[in-house]
Amino acid sequence: MNEILSAISDFLWGWPMIILLLGTHLFLTIRLRFPQRHIFKAVRLSFKRDRNAEGDVSQFASLATALAATIGTGNIIGVATAIALGGPGAVLWCWLTGVFGISTKYAEGLLAIKYRQKTKSGKMLGGPMYALEKGLGWKWLAVLFALFTAIAAFGIGNTVQANAIATVASESYGISPYISGAFICVMTAAVVLGGVKSIARVCSMLVPLMAALYVLGCLYILIVNAAYVWPALCLIVKAAFSPEAAGGGFIGSTVMMAARFGIARGLFSNESGMGSAPIVAAAAQTRNPVRQALVSSSGTFWDTVVICALTGLVIVSSVLAYPDIDFSNGATLTKDAFSKIPVIGRPLLTFGLLTFAFSTILGWCYYGERAVEYLKGKRWVLGYRVLYIVAVFIGAVMNLAVVWNLADCMNALMAIPNLVSLLCLNGVIVNETRSYLWRARTIHNR
């Protein structure tokens, strides 16, 4: 089963998917007149609140929940794996993917608000399944997306993250996976049983803290490695386009390898195009679709353009500073690089892995719940939450080879219907953008 799933995963995340995702990023970037130039406006809007607008949570809480699900172990371990397989040039390709992915995340957020619907109880529901059904009339594809999402949440959003926490606790502090699994299970239950407002409230507190401390820690490490930061930047740029540029302990890699693994890791890390973030974007209190679209786009900026880039620069500069680091082993590369920094290195890595993984568990629970509610109605949500909480413990104590491959397959299958909706509804996206952004009415009009 594992071999079959691995083969399917390799196919789904091969060049066809990379071309489809990156092609969508580039197409929307051009079609929407480079929305990246509005990124600082997007950041400012994320901290403002539309108190009289419809929605369940604030725009900031919506963004924090999306970032909680997006910023995970992939931002730390995933970047190291890309460097190990594709060389230091993979960092630049990962970063460029984040830059262009801002356009896709913008488009997803816009459609989420455009096609969301209000329940009888006043709750807002939305996401790619509603865009596919209401915007294109393709109910069958909407059902498939929701099904893939509900299953994927148990993988990359749950058991994989719980296992990462248990592994870190075991290796760093000798804590049994059963103990850490039970603890994570209780903590998850305390949050997710309260619904979207509880999840958003915790994420609004946790995400800024964990991201700020991790960024500050990375900056400290770069100060310690100051003599190697510029050489590391030069190496990253050169290696992205020249297979002869690798050096300083790195093994030469082809441009195609650097591009493949850098782009794949960037796409997987920021989830632009996957269709997960718009599910929570639909719950935001916002006066018009473009306003929330801008806020959503800032998530990719923070996740990949900032955090993944810092992680990559820390790793490459550390390898240059400490040639004894085993560059070829992606599983241990991050740990070896951070461990070389006295006092703060190992605790920073442990803190990042623990908080990033736990926040991902919370964010993906909301995604899975909304998918189940779309498929079977509200009465099934509580049962899904209970299963999700139980899966946290199972993930902490089991071997996850099969789960990893299943999660990869489901995430790829989520992306396909979502990308279809983005491409087919690009005219709607452009019209809304013209009305509110190009005519400078974004922050005033409904």
Side-chain angles (χ1 to χ4, degrees), residues 409-435:
C409 292
M410 291 300 104
N411 285 335
L413 292 173
M414 282 176 61
I416 295 172
N418 179 59
L419 293 173
V420 167
S421 70
L422 293 174
L423 294 173
C424 292
L425 293 171
N426 74 86
V428 174
I429 299 169
V430 169
N431 287 335
E432 293 289 332
T433 302
R434 180 182 296 112
S435 296

PDB file of all heavy atoms in Angstrom, residues 409-435:
ATOM      1  N   CYS A 409      -1.066  12.741  -1.522  1.00  0.00           N
ATOM      2  CA  CYS A 409      -2.022  12.476  -2.609  1.00  0.00           C
ATOM      3  C   CYS A 409      -3.275  13.326  -2.452  1.00  0.00           C
ATOM      4  O   CYS A 409      -3.765  13.932  -3.418  1.00  0.00           O
ATOM      5  CB  CYS A 409      -2.403  10.997  -2.630  1.00  0.00           C
ATOM      6  SG  CYS A 409      -1.065   9.875  -3.094  1.00  0.00           S
ATOM      7  N   MET A 410      -3.819  13.380  -1.248  1.00  0.00           N
ATOM      8  CA  MET A 410      -5.044  14.135  -1.010  1.00  0.00           C
ATOM      9  C   MET A 410      -4.829  15.634  -1.236  1.00  0.00           C
ATOM     10  O   MET A 410      -5.694  16.327  -1.779  1.00  0.00           O
ATOM     11  CB  MET A 410      -5.552  13.895   0.416  1.00  0.00           C
ATOM     12  CG  MET A 410      -6.078  12.494   0.674  1.00  0.00           C
ATOM     13  SD  MET A 410      -7.489  12.045  -0.388  1.00  0.00           S
ATOM     14  CE  MET A 410      -6.671  10.953  -1.550  1.00  0.00           C
ATOM     15  N   ASN A 411      -3.664  16.139  -0.808  1.00  0.00           N
ATOM     16  CA  ASN A 411      -3.385  17.562  -0.997  1.00  0.00           C
ATOM     17  C   ASN A 411      -3.297  17.913  -2.481  1.00  0.00           C
ATOM     18  O   ASN A 411      -3.776  18.957  -2.920  1.00  0.00           O
ATOM     19  CB  ASN A 411      -2.080  17.944  -0.297  1.00  0.00           C
ATOM     20  CG  ASN A 411      -2.250  18.021   1.205  1.00  0.00           C
ATOM     21  OD1 ASN A 411      -3.342  18.239   1.701  1.00  0.00           O
ATOM     22  ND2 ASN A 411      -1.180  17.835   1.939  1.00  0.00           N
ATOM     23  N   ALA A 412      -2.677  17.042  -3.259  1.00  0.00           N
ATOM     24  CA  ALA A 412      -2.594  17.277  -4.699  1.00  0.00           C
ATOM     25  C   ALA A 412      -3.980  17.230  -5.334  1.00  0.00           C
ATOM     26  O   ALA A 412      -4.313  18.055  -6.196  1.00  0.00           O
ATOM     27  CB  ALA A 412      -1.677  16.242  -5.346  1.00  0.00           C
ATOM     28  N   LEU A 413      -4.799  16.279  -4.892  1.00  0.00           N
ATOM     29  CA  LEU A 413      -6.146  16.153  -5.441  1.00  0.00           C
ATOM     30  C   LEU A 413      -7.033  17.324  -5.017  1.00  0.00           C
ATOM     31  O   LEU A 413      -7.991  17.667  -5.720  1.00  0.00           O
ATOM     32  CB  LEU A 413      -6.762  14.820  -5.002  1.00  0.00           C
ATOM     33  CG  LEU A 413      -6.110  13.575  -5.616  1.00  0.00           C
ATOM     34  CD1 LEU A 413      -6.677  12.314  -4.981  1.00  0.00           C
ATOM     35  CD2 LEU A 413      -6.308  13.546  -7.127  1.00  0.00           C
ATOM     36  N   MET A 414      -6.745  17.939  -3.879  1.00  0.00           N
ATOM     37  CA  MET A 414      -7.448  19.167  -3.486  1.00  0.00           C
ATOM     38  C   MET A 414      -7.132  20.301  -4.448  1.00  0.00           C
ATOM     39  O   MET A 414      -8.002  21.088  -4.831  1.00  0.00           O
ATOM     40  CB  MET A 414      -7.017  19.607  -2.078  1.00  0.00           C
ATOM     41  CG  MET A 414      -7.619  18.864  -0.920  1.00  0.00           C
ATOM     42  SD  MET A 414      -6.901  19.455   0.640  1.00  0.00           S
ATOM     43  CE  MET A 414      -7.381  21.187   0.625  1.00  0.00           C
ATOM     44  N   ALA A 415      -5.864  20.387  -4.827  1.00  0.00           N
ATOM     45  CA  ALA A 415      -5.406  21.517  -5.636  1.00  0.00           C
ATOM     46  C   ALA A 415      -6.074  21.557  -7.011  1.00  0.00           C
ATOM     47  O   ALA A 415      -6.388  22.636  -7.521  1.00  0.00           O
ATOM     48  CB  ALA A 415      -3.888  21.470  -5.783  1.00  0.00           C
ATOM     49  N   ILE A 416      -6.300  20.393  -7.600  1.00  0.00           N
ATOM     50  CA  ILE A 416      -6.804  20.359  -8.983  1.00  0.00           C
ATOM     51  C   ILE A 416      -8.176  21.025  -9.120  1.00  0.00           C
ATOM     52  O   ILE A 416      -8.347  21.921  -9.960  1.00  0.00           O
ATOM     53  CB  ILE A 416      -6.818  18.912  -9.508  1.00  0.00           C
ATOM     54  CG1 ILE A 416      -5.378  18.373  -9.613  1.00  0.00           C
ATOM     55  CG2 ILE A 416      -7.515  18.834 -10.869  1.00  0.00           C
ATOM     56  CD1 ILE A 416      -5.280  16.902  -9.935  1.00  0.00           C
ATOM     57  N   PRO A 417      -9.206  20.642  -8.325  1.00  0.00           N
ATOM     58  CA  PRO A 417     -10.495  21.342  -8.454  1.00  0.00           C
ATOM     59  C   PRO A 417     -10.393  22.827  -8.127  1.00  0.00           C
ATOM     60  O   PRO A 417     -11.066  23.656  -8.760  1.00  0.00           O
ATOM     61  CB  PRO A 417     -11.403  20.620  -7.445  1.00  0.00           C
ATOM     62  CG  PRO A 417     -10.739  19.314  -7.188  1.00  0.00           C
ATOM     63  CD  PRO A 417      -9.273  19.561  -7.335  1.00  0.00           C
ATOM     64  N   ASN A 418      -9.565  23.169  -7.141  1.00  0.00           N
ATOM     65  CA  ASN A 418      -9.419  24.575  -6.767  1.00  0.00           C
ATOM     66  C   ASN A 418      -8.816  25.393  -7.898  1.00  0.00           C
ATOM     67  O   ASN A 418      -9.272  26.499  -8.199  1.00  0.00           O
ATOM     68  CB  ASN A 418      -8.541  24.689  -5.518  1.00  0.00           C
ATOM     69  CG  ASN A 418      -8.339  26.132  -5.086  1.00  0.00           C
ATOM     70  OD1 ASN A 418      -9.290  26.853  -4.804  1.00  0.00           O
ATOM     71  ND2 ASN A 418      -7.089  26.567  -5.049  1.00  0.00           N
ATOM     72  N   LEU A 419      -7.785  24.852  -8.545  1.00  0.00           N
ATOM     73  CA  LEU A 419      -7.165  25.560  -9.662  1.00  0.00           C
ATOM     74  C   LEU A 419      -8.137  25.708 -10.830  1.00  0.00           C
ATOM     75  O   LEU A 419      -8.122  26.718 -11.541  1.00  0.00           O
ATOM     76  CB  LEU A 419      -5.898  24.831 -10.108  1.00  0.00           C
ATOM     77  CG  LEU A 419      -4.746  24.829  -9.089  1.00  0.00           C
ATOM     78  CD1 LEU A 419      -3.616  23.938  -9.551  1.00  0.00           C
ATOM     79  CD2 LEU A 419      -4.243  26.251  -8.841  1.00  0.00           C
ATOM     80  N   VAL A 420      -8.992  24.702 -11.017  1.00  0.00           N
ATOM     81  CA  VAL A 420     -10.021  24.791 -12.060  1.00  0.00           C
ATOM     82  C   VAL A 420     -10.934  25.986 -11.789  1.00  0.00           C
ATOM     83  O   VAL A 420     -11.256  26.770 -12.699  1.00  0.00           O
ATOM     84  CB  VAL A 420     -10.840  23.484 -12.127  1.00  0.00           C
ATOM     85  CG1 VAL A 420     -12.091  23.670 -12.974  1.00  0.00           C
ATOM     86  CG2 VAL A 420      -9.993  22.351 -12.690  1.00  0.00           C
ATOM     87  N   SER A 421     -11.349  26.150 -10.533  1.00  0.00           N
ATOM     88  CA  SER A 421     -12.240  27.264 -10.195  1.00  0.00           C
ATOM     89  C   SER A 421     -11.541  28.608 -10.396  1.00  0.00           C
ATOM     90  O   SER A 421     -12.155  29.567 -10.883  1.00  0.00           O
ATOM     91  CB  SER A 421     -12.736  27.138  -8.751  1.00  0.00           C
ATOM     92  OG  SER A 421     -11.697  27.379  -7.814  1.00  0.00           O
ATOM     93  N   LEU A 422     -10.264  28.685 -10.038  1.00  0.00           N
ATOM     94  CA  LEU A 422      -9.523  29.941 -10.192  1.00  0.00           C
ATOM     95  C   LEU A 422      -9.373  30.324 -11.664  1.00  0.00           C
ATOM     96  O   LEU A 422      -9.559  31.491 -12.042  1.00  0.00           O
ATOM     97  CB  LEU A 422      -8.141  29.822  -9.550  1.00  0.00           C
ATOM     98  CG  LEU A 422      -8.089  29.682  -8.024  1.00  0.00           C
ATOM     99  CD1 LEU A 422      -6.668  29.432  -7.565  1.00  0.00           C
ATOM    100  CD2 LEU A 422      -8.641  30.934  -7.352  1.00  0.00           C
ATOM    101  N   LEU A 423      -9.043  29.355 -12.486  1.00  0.00           N
ATOM    102  CA  LEU A 423      -8.826  29.640 -13.905  1.00  0.00           C
ATOM    103  C   LEU A 423     -10.143  29.938 -14.627  1.00  0.00           C
ATOM    104  O   LEU A 423     -10.217  30.860 -15.445  1.00  0.00           O
ATOM    105  CB  LEU A 423      -8.102  28.463 -14.562  1.00  0.00           C
ATOM    106  CG  LEU A 423      -6.668  28.218 -14.079  1.00  0.00           C
ATOM    107  CD1 LEU A 423      -6.103  26.932 -14.666  1.00  0.00           C
ATOM    108  CD2 LEU A 423      -5.768  29.401 -14.424  1.00  0.00           C
ATOM    109  N   CYS A 424     -11.179  29.164 -14.313  1.00  0.00           N
ATOM    110  CA  CYS A 424     -12.463  29.355 -14.992  1.00  0.00           C
ATOM    111  C   CYS A 424     -13.192  30.615 -14.529  1.00  0.00           C
ATOM    112  O   CYS A 424     -14.007  31.175 -15.271  1.00  0.00           O
ATOM    113  CB  CYS A 424     -13.358  28.134 -14.785  1.00  0.00           C
ATOM    114  SG  CYS A 424     -12.782  26.642 -15.611  1.00  0.00           S
ATOM    115  N   LEU A 425     -12.915  31.043 -13.300  1.00  0.00           N
ATOM    116  CA  LEU A 425     -13.587  32.224 -12.756  1.00  0.00           C
ATOM    117  C   LEU A 425     -12.662  33.444 -12.734  1.00  0.00           C
ATOM    118  O   LEU A 425     -12.915  34.403 -12.002  1.00  0.00           O
ATOM    119  CB  LEU A 425     -14.097  31.943 -11.339  1.00  0.00           C
ATOM    120  CG  LEU A 425     -15.219  30.904 -11.231  1.00  0.00           C
ATOM    121  CD1 LEU A 425     -15.483  30.543  -9.774  1.00  0.00           C
ATOM    122  CD2 LEU A 425     -16.502  31.433 -11.881  1.00  0.00           C
ATOM    123  N   ASN A 426     -11.593  33.409 -13.521  1.00  0.00           N
ATOM    124  CA  ASN A 426     -10.653  34.527 -13.488  1.00  0.00           C
ATOM    125  C   ASN A 426     -11.316  35.830 -13.930  1.00  0.00           C
ATOM    126  O   ASN A 426     -10.912  36.913 -13.501  1.00  0.00           O
ATOM    127  CB  ASN A 426      -9.419  34.218 -14.335  1.00  0.00           C
ATOM    128  CG  ASN A 426      -9.668  34.296 -15.829  1.00  0.00           C
ATOM    129  OD1 ASN A 426      -9.577  35.357 -16.437  1.00  0.00           O
ATOM    130  ND2 ASN A 426      -9.973  33.153 -16.443  1.00  0.00           N
ATOM    131  N   GLY A 427     -12.333  35.741 -14.783  1.00  0.00           N
ATOM    132  CA  GLY A 427     -13.050  36.950 -15.203  1.00  0.00           C
ATOM    133  C   GLY A 427     -13.762  37.610 -14.031  1.00  0.00           C
ATOM    134  O   GLY A 427     -13.774  38.850 -13.914  1.00  0.00           O
ATOM    135  N   VAL A 428     -14.358  36.795 -13.151  1.00  0.00           N
ATOM    136  CA  VAL A 428     -15.025  37.323 -11.958  1.00  0.00           C
ATOM    137  C   VAL A 428     -14.005  38.004 -11.045  1.00  0.00           C
ATOM    138  O   VAL A 428     -14.250  39.090 -10.494  1.00  0.00           O
ATOM    139  CB  VAL A 428     -15.741  36.184 -11.195  1.00  0.00           C
ATOM    140  CG1 VAL A 428     -16.319  36.693  -9.880  1.00  0.00           C
ATOM    141  CG2 VAL A 428     -16.833  35.575 -12.062  1.00  0.00           C
ATOM    142  N   ILE A 429     -12.857  37.356 -10.897  1.00  0.00           N
ATOM    143  CA  ILE A 429     -11.791  37.900 -10.046  1.00  0.00           C
ATOM    144  C   ILE A 429     -11.332  39.254 -10.575  1.00  0.00           C
ATOM    145  O   ILE A 429     -11.147  40.209  -9.814  1.00  0.00           O
ATOM    146  CB  ILE A 429     -10.612  36.919  -9.975  1.00  0.00           C
ATOM    147  CG1 ILE A 429     -11.064  35.583  -9.373  1.00  0.00           C
ATOM    148  CG2 ILE A 429      -9.469  37.505  -9.157  1.00  0.00           C
ATOM    149  CD1 ILE A 429     -10.043  34.464  -9.500  1.00  0.00           C
ATOM    150  N   VAL A 430     -11.157  39.349 -11.890  1.00  0.00           N
ATOM    151  CA  VAL A 430     -10.712  40.604 -12.506  1.00  0.00           C
ATOM    152  C   VAL A 430     -11.764  41.698 -12.330  1.00  0.00           C
ATOM    153  O   VAL A 430     -11.437  42.851 -12.002  1.00  0.00           O
ATOM    154  CB  VAL A 430     -10.387  40.389 -13.999  1.00  0.00           C
ATOM    155  CG1 VAL A 430     -10.196  41.732 -14.701  1.00  0.00           C
ATOM    156  CG2 VAL A 430      -9.155  39.531 -14.164  1.00  0.00           C
ATOM    157  N   ASN A 431     -13.038  41.373 -12.521  1.00  0.00           N
ATOM    158  CA  ASN A 431     -14.105  42.369 -12.394  1.00  0.00           C
ATOM    159  C   ASN A 431     -14.177  42.929 -10.977  1.00  0.00           C
ATOM    160  O   ASN A 431     -14.343  44.148 -10.779  1.00  0.00           O
ATOM    161  CB  ASN A 431     -15.456  41.762 -12.780  1.00  0.00           C
ATOM    162  CG  ASN A 431     -15.586  41.550 -14.281  1.00  0.00           C
ATOM    163  OD1 ASN A 431     -14.931  42.228 -15.066  1.00  0.00           O
ATOM    164  ND2 ASN A 431     -16.431  40.606 -14.684  1.00  0.00           N
ATOM    165  N   GLU A 432     -14.083  42.056  -9.973  1.00  0.00           N
ATOM    166  CA  GLU A 432     -14.103  42.518  -8.583  1.00  0.00           C
ATOM    167  C   GLU A 432     -12.876  43.370  -8.285  1.00  0.00           C
ATOM    168  O   GLU A 432     -12.971  44.387  -7.582  1.00  0.00           O
ATOM    169  CB  GLU A 432     -14.151  41.310  -7.632  1.00  0.00           C
ATOM    170  CG  GLU A 432     -15.437  40.512  -7.692  1.00  0.00           C
ATOM    171  CD  GLU A 432     -16.618  41.255  -7.094  1.00  0.00           C
ATOM    172  OE1 GLU A 432     -16.406  42.098  -6.193  1.00  0.00           O
ATOM    173  OE2 GLU A 432     -17.766  41.013  -7.536  1.00  0.00           O
ATOM    174  N   THR A 433     -11.736  42.951  -8.799  1.00  0.00           N
ATOM    175  CA  THR A 433     -10.498  43.700  -8.578  1.00  0.00           C
ATOM    176  C   THR A 433     -10.577  45.067  -9.237  1.00  0.00           C
ATOM    177  O   THR A 433     -10.133  46.077  -8.668  1.00  0.00           O
ATOM    178  CB  THR A 433      -9.292  42.922  -9.142  1.00  0.00           C
ATOM    179  OG1 THR A 433      -9.229  41.635  -8.526  1.00  0.00           O
ATOM    180  CG2 THR A 433      -7.990  43.661  -8.881  1.00  0.00           C
ATOM    181  N   ARG A 434     -11.159  45.114 -10.425  1.00  0.00           N
ATOM    182  CA  ARG A 434     -11.315  46.394 -11.115  1.00  0.00           C
ATOM    183  C   ARG A 434     -12.225  47.331 -10.313  1.00  0.00           C
ATOM    184  O   ARG A 434     -11.945  48.532 -10.189  1.00  0.00           O
ATOM    185  CB  ARG A 434     -11.904  46.158 -12.511  1.00  0.00           C
ATOM    186  CG  ARG A 434     -12.095  47.459 -13.300  1.00  0.00           C
ATOM    187  CD  ARG A 434     -12.738  47.214 -14.664  1.00  0.00           C
ATOM    188  NE  ARG A 434     -11.879  46.408 -15.521  1.00  0.00           N
ATOM    189  CZ  ARG A 434     -12.151  45.163 -15.895  1.00  0.00           C
ATOM    190  NH1 ARG A 434     -13.272  44.569 -15.470  1.00  0.00           N
ATOM    191  NH2 ARG A 434     -11.330  44.501 -16.676  1.00  0.00           N
ATOM    192  N   SER A 435     -13.290  46.788  -9.752  1.00  0.00           N
ATOM    193  CA  SER A 435     -14.264  47.620  -9.037  1.00  0.00           C
ATOM    194  C   SER A 435     -13.696  48.218  -7.760  1.00  0.00           C
ATOM    195  O   SER A 435     -13.972  49.381  -7.431  1.00  0.00           O
ATOM    196  CB  SER A 435     -15.505  46.789  -8.703  1.00  0.00           C
ATOM    197  OG  SER A 435     -16.161  46.360  -9.881  1.00  0.00           O
TER     198      SER A 435
END
